[in-house]
DNA sequence: ATAATTAAGGATAAATTTGTCCGGAATTAT
DNA sequence: ATAATTCCGGACAAATTTATCCTTAATTAT
């Protein structure tokens, strides 16, 4: 469904959202440990999220990563940042363009699923799903 | 969503289903042309579908591929044959196991989408979606 | 100032997926 | 029988994704 990178990215965002009330930032090692991901690869994904301004980063001692506290971020934004818009645009059978005018044989049925997914992605905020992590109601690894 | 191989496999099955009333089989070249796929790679996928007994094949002159006429095949069976059960079992965030007992933060929301998808995959028969191809109501390329 | 810490970024490697090539086996037609 | 056709299957190659390593830059604490 999503790329591994996108899975990591989502977990990163949710993890950092769950720590949004702590005054200190989380470092790469903390994050990779919290979501059970390879450290160096996780660093690359963190970079992308920072470039896309979905995260803030600070270098040096006590540096690390954190969410922008006054900015609501949906899962859709995270997915788009890493995997692009394919998941909510591409034809399920791989036709070059997905359209009503020239539909593949399963277009109608799959548009319904895609819209369902799109709805969830765009209405789900990372802060919302971040709650419940600290309390071990939900898990990231 | 699906692998390229799985996209090709679905198109192959749908294409051959749309030709189920012709008395002759379709050859590799025909098929690859009909679904706009690389020939050699398509051959590999055809092999897999034959091994899984989702298709029949005959070698030699006038040979080729075709569906088993008395066997109803759902899209689910095709997807399972090529991509495995991941799409309807795996955690969307990549947790090793997806379960109610130890859910990721988006488990409930995504199980709904996954079930929606599963429903469509298992109720959609290739013969059903095969109709409309010959008439260019639906397209495979 | 210096040393320690931490992210940034480039190069490279491993793994997986996608795609190609070619000789062999089965079948048919002549 | 022979030749032509078509799928089978193994080896290989290219492309993409995932993952690692190492040097540099920024920041902080001493
Ligand atoms: S054309 Fe295939 S999903 Fe729209
Ligand atoms: S645990 Fe993540 S989808 Fe079920």
């Amino acid at each position: 469904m999503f790329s591994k990178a996108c899975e990591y990215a989502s977990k990163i965002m949710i993890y950092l959202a769950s720590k949004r009330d702590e005054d200190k930032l989380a470092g790469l090692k903390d994050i990779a440990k919290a979501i059970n991901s390879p450290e160096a690869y996780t660093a690359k994904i963190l970079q992308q999220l920072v470039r896309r301004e979905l995260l803030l980063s600070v270098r040096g001692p006590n540096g690390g990563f954190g969410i922008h506290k006054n900015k609501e971020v949906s899962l859709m934004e995270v997915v788009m940042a890493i995997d692009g818009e394919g998941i909510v645009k591409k034809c399920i059978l791989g036709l070059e363009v997905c359209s009503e005018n020239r539909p593949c044989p399963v277009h109608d049925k799959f548009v319904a699923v895609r819209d369902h997914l799109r709805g969830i992605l765009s209405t789900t905020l990372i802060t919302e799903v971040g709650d419940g992590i600290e309390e071990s109601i939900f898990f990231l690894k």
Side-chain angles (χ1 to χ4, degrees), chain A:
Chain A
M1 185 84 103
F2 301 128
S3 69
K4 214 84 188 107
C6 189
E7 290 176 3
Y8 294 149
S10 303
K11 292 203 225 176
I12 289 168
M13 294 300 296
I14 295 170
Y15 175 66
L16 292 176
S18 82
K19 301 227 139 195
R20 67 188 179 284
D21 292 331
E22 300 199 1
D23 50 347
K24 63 180 175 41
L25 300 172
L28 169 61
K29 281 174 192 157
D30 301 337
I31 296 170
K33 205 162 291 176
I35 71 172
N36 188 34
S37 62
E39 214 173 289
Y41 193 48
T42 305
K44 295 300 184 199
I45 295 160
L46 283 162
Q47 274 181 51
Q48 294 184 62
L49 293 170
V50 170
R51 285 200 209 98
R52 297 276 185 157
E53 299 184 324
L54 295 178
L55 287 183
L56 61 84
S57 71
V58 175
R59 292 199 256 198
N62 309 318
F65 300 88
I67 64 170
H68 294 285
K69 294 200 178 173
N70 48 0
K71 184 181 185 183
E72 288 286 16
V73 175
S74 68
L75 275 183
M76 180 66 94
E77 291 173 81
V78 180
V79 171
M80 296 281 258
I82 305 298
D83 278 359
E85 60 188 4
I87 194 89
V88 291
K89 283 200 76 174
K90 275 175 41 184
C91 168
I92 194 87
L93 293 187
L95 297 198
E96 293 230 0
V97 342
C98 167
S99 87
E100 300 287 339
N101 299 336
R102 197 183 167 76
C104 73
V106 292
H107 175 84
D108 284 355
K109 293 181 177 192
F110 276 97
V111 164
V113 176
R114 218 171 50 185
D115 286 349
H116 187 174
L117 178 63
R118 195 207 318 265
I120 285 175
L121 287 175
S122 44
T123 59
T124 303
L125 302 175
I126 56 163
T127 48
E128 168 199 337
V129 291
D131 297 331
I133 299 292
E134 299 261 310
E135 305 91 318
S136 288
I137 299 171
F138 302 120
F139 302 86
L140 290 175
K141 66 173 177 187

